[in-house]
Amino acid sequence: LGGRVERVIIDDLWQGTFYAKILVVRAATPAETLEVDARSSDAIALALRARAPIYVAEDVLEQAGQDDV
């Protein structure tokens, strides 16, 4: 993609599956931010490799903390 991973956002939890987005900043003029849908496991692995921050939506944390998930 010709850019760098800016951050990963885990933004949804549906039927026990987490969903994420990877934000990639391309060094074009002007700079362009791409949002790529990804499996949360792949997004986390990529963020760790790129030393990018990982964010989780508050409602996802609340849902994940429930016993029925």
Side-chain angles (χ1 to χ4, degrees):
L1 295 172
R4 65 176 174 78
V5 176
E6 181 177 285
R7 67 181 172 265
V8 163
I9 304 169
I10 300 172
D11 62 349
D12 198 9
L13 174 60
W14 189 68
Q15 294 185 348
T17 302
F18 292 91
Y19 295 90
K21 290 185 176 39
I22 302 169
L23 275 71
V24 178
V25 176
R26 294 181 65 192
T29 305
E32 178 183 16
T33 301
L34 302 173
E35 192 174 281
V36 180
D37 290 326
R39 295 186 314 179
S40 59
S41 58
D42 293 337
I44 290 169
L46 186 58
L48 290 173
R49 184 174 178 102
R51 298 183 185 265
I54 301 167
Y55 298 97
V56 181
E58 192 170 328
D59 62 318
V60 171
L61 286 175
E62 289 174 7
Q63 281 182 294
Q66 296 173 2
D67 291 334
D68 61 341
V69 173

